[in-house]
Amino acid sequence: MPDSDSPDEETGFFFHHVAIIGIGLIGSSVALALRVNGFEGPISIADRNGEALREATELGLGTSYHTSAAKAVSGADMVFLCVPVGAMGATARAIAPALSKTAIVTDTGSVKGSVARAVSAAIPDKSRFVPGHPIAGSEQSGPRAGWATLFRHRWCILTPTEHTDPAATDVVAAMWRAMGANVEIMDIEHHDLVLSITSHLPHLIAYNIVRTAYDMETVTEQDVIKFSAGGFRDFTRIAASDPTMWRDVFLNNKTAVIETLGRFMEDLAMLQRAIRWGDGEQLFDTFQRTRNIRLSIIEAGQETAAPDFGRPRF
Amino acid sequence: MPDSDSPDEETGFFFHHVAIIGIGLIGSSVALALRVNGFEGPISIADRNGEALREATELGLGTSYHTSAAKAVSGADMVFLCVPVGAMGATARAIAPALSKTAIVTDTGSVKGSVARAVSAAIPDKSRFVPGHPIAGSEQSGPRAGWATLFRHRWCILTPTEHTDPAATDVVAAMWRAMGANVEIMDIEHHDLVLSITSHLPHLIAYNIVRTAYDMETVTEQDVIKFSAGGFRDFTRIAASDPTMWRDVFLNNKTAVIETLGRFMEDLAMLQRAIRWGDGEQLFDTFQRTRNIRLSIIEAGQETAAPDFGRPRF
Ligand SMILES: NC(=O)c1ccc[n+]([C@@H]2O[C@H](COP(=O)([O-])OP(=O)(O)OC[C@H]3O[C@@H](n4cnc5c(N)ncnc54)[C@H](OP(=O)(O)O)[C@@H]3O)[C@@H](O)[C@H]2O)c1
Ligand SMILES: NC(=O)c1ccc[n+]([C@@H]2O[C@H](COP(=O)([O-])OP(=O)(O)OC[C@H]3O[C@@H](n4cnc5c(N)ncnc54)[C@H](OP(=O)(O)O)[C@@H]3O)[C@@H](O)[C@H]2O)c1
């Protein structure tokens, strides 16, 4: 049988038994995406949250369910860590003794530097660890939030460490492509910097503006809710994201976030000054520059041009 | 014929001839909404932009088209000012000599204090001026961007001045209700403060983060575009809004925007400090508080709960 006829070649899944640790939005989407795209082997699922595990069982996301992460990885040759960034190290230490020698370990954490260090230090063979981050998600969490096509036409960034075996990276890359994603290989540091501006800072700012609105003594919550269609509601979606996940992101990407945030605050101070002094030209020039980037995002298939994000028109 | 059988009572349009000055996104949506909801009288349209006027003609938005605003208002008993906030005063001065004695003048400007002062000072009878602001729109501009149901299930705020005749306010309120909007009567000052947090600050921040991203030397525009699905793209929509409109908003709502922006920056500095010192508890508590407000916005019908804003799932 020629190689190209083997099931692996057909599906892009060069492994036989998957373990998913942490069955939230991302873990459940991975489980669904594997199945929908032709992975037929066992999927062992672990979560410390009993309710999440029960929901995953009801949804039939896997073939076995465990409160012990170590039990879930036993026999698996592809292990997915889908817990919050701050729990990656402890999770890796918990599974380390039970990992099979051939298992590849990968993760989906939104920060890569701290996760790469913590997981590499914990597992027996760091050449088998391929850090990863799918740039797709939503503000929902838990196993019911996942969907099979979450990763389609989205980017998944892999950030192999200096120890990672390139063959392991290839297997993980093929898997993400099989789930419909585009794969980008990137330096860990560059990942953490790029994501600090395209993801972490937007979340911080969204959380912050909702808080600022809450705390205005002379503007009621009712005012904010009723008149949110003026722009505010666009920020509330990402400010509804999981607090644990995002606390961990900021604690673990401190350097890049503080650098990016510093630049943002400087730029904002300049706009503040332009408003105070009535410098319409500077305001206009700043606002003028930003339109094209949206068009490019739409062209790149990372956004829809539907008016109002396809919100229902009554 | 009893009153309730008169066309006015049926439709909610207690006037016979409308003039719309400025046929952009909002002006064209007003024209379409009037027609769709049963207004059958003439609609005179004026714009200084010949291309916009030509498009409006092609789209059949009105019954007559004018480059002179004064010509458009002649004979009209309902006059809509839909130009940028900074052009309201000059537009009011231009139409003043041609306004009929019974005409009600209203506007759609995003700031109310400066517009109320400028328009009241310009027109012959300030008791006939009803300042208004529909809380609905998009980042598009021009006559092709409008749609007939833009205002449905959205709030329209009216901010009568001390001189406004309550009967004129009633006519304008009935008209907005007839176009599907909910009407709220509010103090001018309160409007400008509420909107500074629910609309003006979100736009300023969105423009600013896109600019900050552009200016990072070590992050390419391609990086930003490719990985925008992590949160950034949600900000680019409103950062694609019309630069003239928004320059005028900030120049004309200086006091409220600077107050709100000051609070936002203080709050952000606190989060920055929490990140720097690794204060996970403070981050978590802040992120925890903001979820409910989104649910309330969805319940209030000002947003959809569709995952990912109903962006297409491939
Ligand atoms: N959401 C996104 O948009 C997104 C996008 C890309 C990447 N990511 C990354 O993907 C990972 C998972 O995110 P998610 O959105 O799927 O989160 P989620 O929906 O909140 O699910 C996380 C799951 O992991 C469980 N968990 C937490 N700590 C654990 C531990 N020590 N051992 C075992 N299970 C544990 C949680 O249980 P509890 O409920 O008990 O905490 C929960 O069931 C995170 O690292 C995140 O940064 C998220
Ligand atoms: N867009 C929104 O989301 C939104 C929502 C609520 C309220 N508003 C308010 O509604 C008003 C109109 O906004 P819009 O979004 O419809 O703007 P738009 O699409 O940019 O249209 C404005 C139109 O007015 C014209 N204009 C500008 N100055 C003029 C003048 N001095 N005389 C006559 N015409 C003039 C413009 O022509 P040029 O192209 O030559 O400038 C353009 O055709 C603004 O006051 C805005 O604050 C907007």
Side-chain angles (χ1 to χ4, degrees), chain A residues 81-127:
Chain A
L81 307 181
C82 305
V83 296
V85 163
M88 291 286 182
T91 305
R93 283 189 292 279
I95 60 170
L99 275 177
S100 92
K101 282 217 154 42
T102 59
I104 293 174
V105 178
T106 189
D107 79 296
T108 60
S110 305
V111 178
K112 296 271 60 79
S114 70
V115 170
R117 280 189 299 275
V119 176
S120 296
I123 61 174
D125 180 359
K126 45 180 156 259
S127 78

Short mmCIF file of all heavy atoms in Angstrom, two decimals, chain A residues 81-127:
data_model
loop_
_atom_site.label_atom_id
_atom_site.label_comp_id
_atom_site.label_asym_id
_atom_site.label_seq_id
_atom_site.Cartn_x
_atom_site.Cartn_y
_atom_site.Cartn_z
N LEU A 81 -3.07 20.04 25.77
CA LEU A 81 -3.32 20.75 27.02
C LEU A 81 -4.18 21.98 26.73
O LEU A 81 -3.73 22.91 26.06
CB LEU A 81 -2.00 21.17 27.67
CG LEU A 81 -0.97 20.04 27.88
CD1 LEU A 81 0.29 20.60 28.56
CD2 LEU A 81 -1.57 18.90 28.69
N CYS A 82 -5.42 21.96 27.21
CA CYS A 82 -6.36 23.05 26.91
C CYS A 82 -6.87 23.70 28.19
O CYS A 82 -8.04 24.07 28.28
CB CYS A 82 -7.53 22.54 26.07
SG CYS A 82 -7.03 21.71 24.55
N VAL A 83 -6.00 23.83 29.17
CA VAL A 83 -6.36 24.48 30.44
C VAL A 83 -5.88 25.93 30.40
O VAL A 83 -5.12 26.32 29.50
CB VAL A 83 -5.74 23.72 31.63
CG1 VAL A 83 -6.31 22.29 31.71
CG2 VAL A 83 -4.21 23.67 31.52
N PRO A 84 -6.30 26.76 31.36
CA PRO A 84 -5.79 28.13 31.39
C PRO A 84 -4.26 28.16 31.47
O PRO A 84 -3.65 27.24 32.01
CB PRO A 84 -6.43 28.71 32.66
CG PRO A 84 -7.69 27.92 32.85
CD PRO A 84 -7.33 26.53 32.40
N VAL A 85 -3.68 29.21 30.94
CA VAL A 85 -2.22 29.33 30.85
C VAL A 85 -1.53 29.08 32.19
O VAL A 85 -0.50 28.40 32.26
CB VAL A 85 -1.89 30.75 30.30
CG1 VAL A 85 -0.45 31.12 30.53
CG2 VAL A 85 -2.24 30.81 28.80
N GLY A 86 -2.11 29.58 33.27
CA GLY A 86 -1.48 29.44 34.57
C GLY A 86 -1.53 28.02 35.12
O GLY A 86 -0.85 27.70 36.10
N ALA A 87 -2.33 27.16 34.50
CA ALA A 87 -2.46 25.77 34.98
C ALA A 87 -1.65 24.79 34.13
O ALA A 87 -1.63 23.59 34.40
CB ALA A 87 -3.94 25.36 35.00
N MET A 88 -0.97 25.31 33.10
CA MET A 88 -0.26 24.42 32.17
C MET A 88 0.88 23.66 32.87
O MET A 88 1.04 22.45 32.68
CB MET A 88 0.33 25.23 31.00
CG MET A 88 -0.70 25.81 30.05
SD MET A 88 -1.43 24.53 29.00
CE MET A 88 -2.53 25.56 27.99
N GLY A 89 1.67 24.37 33.67
CA GLY A 89 2.81 23.74 34.33
C GLY A 89 2.37 22.60 35.23
O GLY A 89 2.88 21.47 35.14
N ALA A 90 1.39 22.88 36.09
CA ALA A 90 0.92 21.86 37.03
C ALA A 90 0.30 20.68 36.28
O ALA A 90 0.48 19.51 36.67
CB ALA A 90 -0.10 22.47 38.00
N THR A 91 -0.41 20.98 35.21
CA THR A 91 -1.02 19.91 34.43
C THR A 91 0.06 19.04 33.79
O THR A 91 -0.04 17.81 33.79
CB THR A 91 -1.95 20.50 33.34
OG1 THR A 91 -2.90 21.37 33.97
CG2 THR A 91 -2.69 19.41 32.59
N ALA A 92 1.09 19.68 33.26
CA ALA A 92 2.20 18.91 32.66
C ALA A 92 2.89 18.03 33.71
O ALA A 92 3.23 16.87 33.44
CB ALA A 92 3.20 19.87 32.00
N ARG A 93 3.08 18.58 34.91
CA ARG A 93 3.71 17.78 35.97
C ARG A 93 2.82 16.59 36.34
O ARG A 93 3.32 15.49 36.60
CB ARG A 93 3.98 18.64 37.22
CG ARG A 93 5.20 19.56 37.05
CD ARG A 93 5.60 20.25 38.36
NE ARG A 93 4.62 21.23 38.83
CZ ARG A 93 4.53 22.49 38.36
NH1 ARG A 93 5.35 22.90 37.41
NH2 ARG A 93 3.63 23.32 38.84
N ALA A 94 1.50 16.82 36.31
CA ALA A 94 0.58 15.74 36.69
C ALA A 94 0.58 14.60 35.68
O ALA A 94 0.43 13.43 36.04
CB ALA A 94 -0.84 16.30 36.86
N ILE A 95 0.75 14.93 34.39
CA ILE A 95 0.69 13.87 33.37
C ILE A 95 2.06 13.25 33.11
O ILE A 95 2.14 12.15 32.55
CB ILE A 95 0.12 14.38 32.02
CG1 ILE A 95 0.99 15.51 31.43
CG2 ILE A 95 -1.33 14.83 32.18
CD1 ILE A 95 0.64 15.88 30.00
N ALA A 96 3.13 13.94 33.51
CA ALA A 96 4.49 13.51 33.13
C ALA A 96 4.75 12.02 33.37
O ALA A 96 5.21 11.31 32.46
CB ALA A 96 5.53 14.37 33.84
N PRO A 97 4.45 11.49 34.58
CA PRO A 97 4.79 10.08 34.83
C PRO A 97 3.98 9.12 33.95
O PRO A 97 4.42 7.99 33.72
CB PRO A 97 4.41 9.88 36.30
CG PRO A 97 4.17 11.24 36.88
CD PRO A 97 3.84 12.13 35.75
N ALA A 98 2.84 9.55 33.46
CA ALA A 98 1.96 8.65 32.71
C ALA A 98 2.11 8.76 31.20
O ALA A 98 1.53 7.97 30.44
CB ALA A 98 0.49 8.92 33.09
N LEU A 99 2.92 9.72 30.74
CA LEU A 99 3.07 9.95 29.29
C LEU A 99 3.77 8.77 28.62
O LEU A 99 4.80 8.29 29.11
CB LEU A 99 3.92 11.20 29.04
CG LEU A 99 3.22 12.57 29.03
CD1 LEU A 99 4.27 13.67 28.85
CD2 LEU A 99 2.18 12.64 27.91
N SER A 100 3.26 8.33 27.49
CA SER A 100 3.96 7.29 26.76
C SER A 100 5.16 7.92 26.04
O SER A 100 5.15 9.12 25.73
CB SER A 100 3.01 6.61 25.77
OG SER A 100 3.09 7.24 24.52
N LYS A 101 6.20 7.12 25.79
CA LYS A 101 7.46 7.63 25.21
C LYS A 101 7.24 8.31 23.87
O LYS A 101 7.94 9.25 23.51
CB LYS A 101 8.45 6.47 25.02
CG LYS A 101 9.14 6.04 26.29
CD LYS A 101 10.59 5.66 26.00
CE LYS A 101 11.50 5.82 27.22
NZ LYS A 101 10.90 5.34 28.50
N THR A 102 6.27 7.81 23.09
CA THR A 102 6.08 8.34 21.74
C THR A 102 5.10 9.51 21.70
O THR A 102 4.88 10.10 20.65
CB THR A 102 5.53 7.25 20.81
OG1 THR A 102 4.27 6.80 21.35
CG2 THR A 102 6.49 6.08 20.72
N ALA A 103 4.49 9.83 22.82
CA ALA A 103 3.44 10.86 22.81
C ALA A 103 4.00 12.22 22.44
O ALA A 103 5.06 12.63 22.93
CB ALA A 103 2.77 10.92 24.18
N ILE A 104 3.29 12.91 21.58
CA ILE A 104 3.56 14.33 21.33
C ILE A 104 2.64 15.13 22.24
O ILE A 104 1.46 14.81 22.38
CB ILE A 104 3.28 14.68 19.85
CG1 ILE A 104 4.29 13.97 18.94
CG2 ILE A 104 3.31 16.18 19.64
CD1 ILE A 104 4.01 14.15 17.46
N VAL A 105 3.19 16.16 22.88
CA VAL A 105 2.38 17.03 23.73
C VAL A 105 2.27 18.38 23.04
O VAL A 105 3.27 18.94 22.57
CB VAL A 105 3.02 17.20 25.12
CG1 VAL A 105 2.19 18.16 25.98
CG2 VAL A 105 3.17 15.85 25.81
N THR A 106 1.05 18.90 22.96
CA THR A 106 0.88 20.26 22.43
C THR A 106 -0.11 20.99 23.32
O THR A 106 -0.73 20.39 24.21
CB THR A 106 0.42 20.25 20.95
OG1 THR A 106 0.48 21.59 20.45
CG2 THR A 106 -0.99 19.72 20.79
N ASP A 107 -0.23 22.29 23.15
CA ASP A 107 -1.16 23.05 23.98
C ASP A 107 -1.82 24.13 23.15
O ASP A 107 -1.47 24.31 21.97
CB ASP A 107 -0.43 23.69 25.18
CG ASP A 107 0.32 24.95 24.77
OD1 ASP A 107 1.26 24.83 23.96
OD2 ASP A 107 -0.05 26.05 25.23
N THR A 108 -2.78 24.83 23.74
CA THR A 108 -3.52 25.88 23.01
C THR A 108 -3.44 27.22 23.75
O THR A 108 -4.22 28.13 23.46
CB THR A 108 -5.00 25.50 22.86
OG1 THR A 108 -5.54 25.35 24.18
CG2 THR A 108 -5.17 24.20 22.09
N GLY A 109 -2.54 27.32 24.71
CA GLY A 109 -2.50 28.51 25.58
C GLY A 109 -2.28 29.80 24.82
O GLY A 109 -1.52 29.84 23.83
N SER A 110 -2.87 30.87 25.29
CA SER A 110 -2.81 32.16 24.61
C SER A 110 -1.47 32.88 24.80
O SER A 110 -1.22 33.90 24.16
CB SER A 110 -3.94 33.06 25.10
OG SER A 110 -5.17 32.40 24.95
N VAL A 111 -0.65 32.39 25.71
CA VAL A 111 0.70 32.93 25.91
C VAL A 111 1.67 31.78 25.67
O VAL A 111 1.39 30.64 26.04
CB VAL A 111 0.88 33.47 27.35
CG1 VAL A 111 2.29 33.99 27.56
CG2 VAL A 111 -0.15 34.56 27.64
N LYS A 112 2.81 32.05 25.05
CA LYS A 112 3.68 30.92 24.71
C LYS A 112 4.98 30.86 25.53
O LYS A 112 5.45 29.77 25.85
CB LYS A 112 3.99 30.90 23.20
CG LYS A 112 2.74 30.68 22.35
CD LYS A 112 2.37 29.22 22.05
CE LYS A 112 2.07 28.29 23.16
NZ LYS A 112 0.73 28.39 23.77
N GLY A 113 5.55 32.00 25.91
CA GLY A 113 6.83 31.96 26.63
C GLY A 113 6.73 31.18 27.94
O GLY A 113 7.45 30.20 28.14
N SER A 114 5.86 31.61 28.81
CA SER A 114 5.77 30.99 30.13
C SER A 114 5.29 29.55 30.02
O SER A 114 5.75 28.68 30.77
CB SER A 114 4.81 31.79 31.02
OG SER A 114 3.49 31.63 30.57
N VAL A 115 4.40 29.27 29.09
CA VAL A 115 3.90 27.90 28.93
C VAL A 115 5.01 26.98 28.41
O VAL A 115 5.19 25.86 28.90
CB VAL A 115 2.68 27.87 27.97
CG1 VAL A 115 2.30 26.44 27.60
CG2 VAL A 115 1.49 28.58 28.60
N ALA A 116 5.77 27.47 27.43
CA ALA A 116 6.86 26.66 26.87
C ALA A 116 7.86 26.30 27.97
O ALA A 116 8.31 25.16 28.08
CB ALA A 116 7.54 27.40 25.73
N ARG A 117 8.21 27.28 28.80
CA ARG A 117 9.15 27.01 29.89
C ARG A 117 8.58 26.01 30.88
O ARG A 117 9.23 25.03 31.24
CB ARG A 117 9.50 28.32 30.62
CG ARG A 117 10.55 29.17 29.91
CD ARG A 117 11.02 30.34 30.77
NE ARG A 117 9.92 31.26 31.12
CZ ARG A 117 9.50 32.26 30.33
NH1 ARG A 117 10.08 32.46 29.15
NH2 ARG A 117 8.53 33.05 30.71
N ALA A 118 7.34 26.24 31.31
CA ALA A 118 6.75 25.40 32.36
C ALA A 118 6.55 23.96 31.88
O ALA A 118 6.86 23.00 32.60
CB ALA A 118 5.42 26.00 32.83
N VAL A 119 6.03 23.80 30.67
CA VAL A 119 5.75 22.45 30.18
C VAL A 119 7.05 21.72 29.84
O VAL A 119 7.22 20.54 30.19
CB VAL A 119 4.78 22.47 28.98
CG1 VAL A 119 4.57 21.07 28.42
CG2 VAL A 119 3.44 23.09 29.38
N SER A 120 7.98 22.40 29.18
CA SER A 120 9.25 21.77 28.83
C SER A 120 9.97 21.25 30.07
O SER A 120 10.58 20.17 30.07
CB SER A 120 10.17 22.76 28.10
OG SER A 120 9.59 23.14 26.87
N ALA A 121 9.90 22.02 31.15
CA ALA A 121 10.58 21.63 32.38
C ALA A 121 9.91 20.44 33.04
O ALA A 121 10.55 19.71 33.82
CB ALA A 121 10.62 22.81 33.36
N ALA A 122 8.63 20.23 32.74
CA ALA A 122 7.86 19.22 33.49
C ALA A 122 7.85 17.84 32.84
O ALA A 122 7.79 16.82 33.52
CB ALA A 122 6.43 19.70 33.68
N ILE A 123 7.90 17.81 31.50
CA ILE A 123 7.71 16.50 30.85
C ILE A 123 9.06 15.81 30.60
O ILE A 123 10.09 16.47 30.50
CB ILE A 123 6.91 16.64 29.52
CG1 ILE A 123 7.65 17.53 28.52
CG2 ILE A 123 5.52 17.19 29.80
CD1 ILE A 123 6.98 17.57 27.15
N PRO A 124 9.04 14.48 30.51
CA PRO A 124 10.29 13.74 30.43
C PRO A 124 11.10 14.04 29.15
O PRO A 124 12.32 14.10 29.20
CB PRO A 124 9.86 12.27 30.46
CG PRO A 124 8.38 12.24 30.28
CD PRO A 124 7.86 13.59 30.64
N ASP A 125 10.42 14.26 28.01
CA ASP A 125 11.16 14.45 26.76
C ASP A 125 10.71 15.74 26.09
O ASP A 125 9.71 15.77 25.35
CB ASP A 125 10.91 13.25 25.84
CG ASP A 125 11.66 13.40 24.51
OD1 ASP A 125 12.34 14.43 24.31
OD2 ASP A 125 11.56 12.47 23.68
N LYS A 126 11.48 16.81 26.31
CA LYS A 126 11.01 18.12 25.81
C LYS A 126 11.07 18.23 24.30
O LYS A 126 10.51 19.17 23.72
CB LYS A 126 11.74 19.29 26.48
CG LYS A 126 13.22 19.22 26.64
CD LYS A 126 13.71 20.52 27.34
CE LYS A 126 15.02 20.35 28.05
NZ LYS A 126 14.91 20.19 29.50
N SER A 127 11.72 17.28 23.62
CA SER A 127 11.73 17.33 22.16
C SER A 127 10.34 16.98 21.58
O SER A 127 10.07 17.23 20.41
CB SER A 127 12.78 16.37 21.60
OG SER A 127 12.30 15.03 21.64
#
